[in-house]
Amino acid sequence: MFNAGLSLAFFLQHSIMVRRSFKQRLSKIFPDAYHGAIYSIASGVFLFAVVILWQSTTLLWQAEGITRLFVLPVAGFFWAVRSLGSFDPFGIKGIYERLRARKPQKGKFIVGGPYRRVRHPLYFFLLIMLWACPDLSVDRLLFNIMWSAWIVIGAYLEERDLAREFGSAYCDYQKNVPMLIPFKWKPAGK
């Protein structure tokens, strides 16, 4: 239960702070340029708590020789980050633009790299990383299930935000590119 509580605390912090309504309330206290950094710091603190306070339990299963399988999704994850071009994981870009008295630029909808095959390649590769770990304990199974569910739910929530932000361009993208798994399921016989 303690481990589940750690994960839920991270999920709530992460999911609440990314919502537009939270950002509007935060704007009353801090300039918009600081939102990304505040979000990154809070997420880092909560993730650090998960990593440090997580309690390990009994080993259920251990695979030999598949450790190198973990390298492939890590490489894919970095490929997806690189494809974003202006990815700002620490929220520094907004602060930098504010200090330079530049007007923040609105993000453009560009599809490149793994985003041509799947709408959320970062989530796809993260899911593979979760499940490719060669050691599976009771706590690791709980972690994998909870974090996988959170990723899927988060992807659906993010889809709404992206459709609102980019309009018909994103809706067309949704129709043509799968959300989490880079291939479309086709019914048998079609």
Side-chain angles (χ1 to χ4, degrees), residues 33-34 92-102:
Y34 295 97
I92 298 171
K93 187 177 179 182
I95 296 170
Y96 179 77
E97 288 175 346
R98 180 179 165 89
L99 291 174
R100 299 277 185 215
R102 294 181 186 163

Coordinates of all heavy atoms in Angstrom, one line a residue, residues 33-34 92-102:
A33 N 6.0 32.3 -17.6 CA 7.3 31.8 -17.9 C 7.9 30.8 -16.9 O 8.8 30.0 -17.3 CB 8.3 33.0 -18.1
Y34 N 7.4 30.8 -15.7 CA 8.0 30.0 -14.7 C 7.2 28.7 -14.5 O 7.6 27.8 -13.8 CB 8.0 30.7 -13.3 CG 8.9 31.9 -13.3 CD1 8.5 33.2 -13.6 CD2 10.3 31.7 -13.1 CE1 9.3 34.3 -13.6 CE2 11.2 32.8 -13.2 CZ 10.7 34.1 -13.4 OH 11.5 35.1 -13.4
I92 N 13.1 25.6 -18.6 CA 14.1 26.7 -18.6 C 13.8 27.7 -19.8 O 14.1 28.9 -19.7 CB 15.5 26.2 -18.7 CG1 15.8 25.4 -17.4 CG2 16.5 27.3 -18.8 CD1 17.1 24.6 -17.4
K93 N 13.3 27.2 -20.9 CA 13.1 28.0 -22.1 C 12.2 29.2 -21.8 O 12.6 30.3 -22.2 CB 12.5 27.2 -23.2 CG 12.4 27.9 -24.5 CD 11.9 27.0 -25.6 CE 11.8 27.7 -26.9 NZ 11.2 26.8 -28.0
G94 N 11.1 29.1 -21.1 CA 10.3 30.2 -20.8 C 10.9 31.2 -19.9 O 10.8 32.4 -20.1
I95 N 11.7 30.8 -18.9 CA 12.5 31.7 -18.1 C 13.5 32.5 -18.9 O 13.7 33.7 -18.8 CB 13.1 31.0 -16.9 CG1 12.0 30.4 -16.0 CG2 14.0 31.9 -16.1 CD1 12.6 29.4 -15.0
Y96 N 14.2 31.7 -19.8 CA 15.2 32.4 -20.6 C 14.6 33.4 -21.5 O 15.1 34.5 -21.7 CB 15.9 31.3 -21.5 CG 17.0 31.8 -22.4 CD1 18.2 32.1 -22.0 CD2 16.7 31.9 -23.8 CE1 19.2 32.6 -22.8 CE2 17.6 32.4 -24.6 CZ 18.9 32.8 -24.2 OH 19.8 33.2 -25.0
E97 N 13.5 33.1 -22.1 CA 12.8 34.1 -23.0 C 12.3 35.3 -22.2 O 12.4 36.4 -22.7 CB 11.6 33.4 -23.7 CG 12.1 32.4 -24.8 CD 10.9 31.7 -25.4 OE1 9.8 31.7 -24.9 OE2 11.2 31.0 -26.5
R98 N 11.9 35.1 -21.0 CA 11.4 36.2 -20.2 C 12.6 37.1 -19.8 O 12.5 38.3 -19.8 CB 10.7 35.7 -18.9 CG 10.3 36.8 -18.0 CD 9.6 36.2 -16.8 NE 9.4 37.1 -15.7 CZ 8.3 37.9 -15.6 NH1 7.4 37.9 -16.5 NH2 8.3 38.8 -14.6
L99 N 13.8 36.5 -19.4 CA 14.9 37.3 -19.1 C 15.5 38.1 -20.3 O 16.0 39.2 -20.1 CB 16.0 36.4 -18.5 CG 15.8 35.7 -17.2 CD1 16.9 34.7 -16.8 CD2 15.6 36.8 -16.1
R100 N 15.3 37.5 -21.5 CA 15.7 38.2 -22.7 C 14.6 39.1 -23.3 O 14.8 39.7 -24.3 CB 16.1 37.2 -23.8 CG 17.2 36.3 -23.4 CD 18.5 36.9 -23.6 NE 19.6 36.0 -23.4 CZ 20.8 36.4 -22.9 NH1 21.0 37.6 -22.6 NH2 21.7 35.5 -22.6
A101 N 13.5 39.2 -22.5 CA 12.4 40.1 -23.0 C 11.8 39.7 -24.3 O 11.4 40.5 -25.1 CB 12.8 41.5 -22.9
R102 N 11.8 38.4 -24.6 CA 11.3 37.8 -25.8 C 9.9 37.3 -25.6 O 9.6 36.8 -24.5 CB 12.1 36.7 -26.4 CG 13.5 37.1 -26.8 CD 14.2 35.9 -27.3 NE 15.6 36.2 -27.6 CZ 16.6 35.4 -27.8 NH1 16.3 34.1 -27.7 NH2 17.8 35.7 -28.1

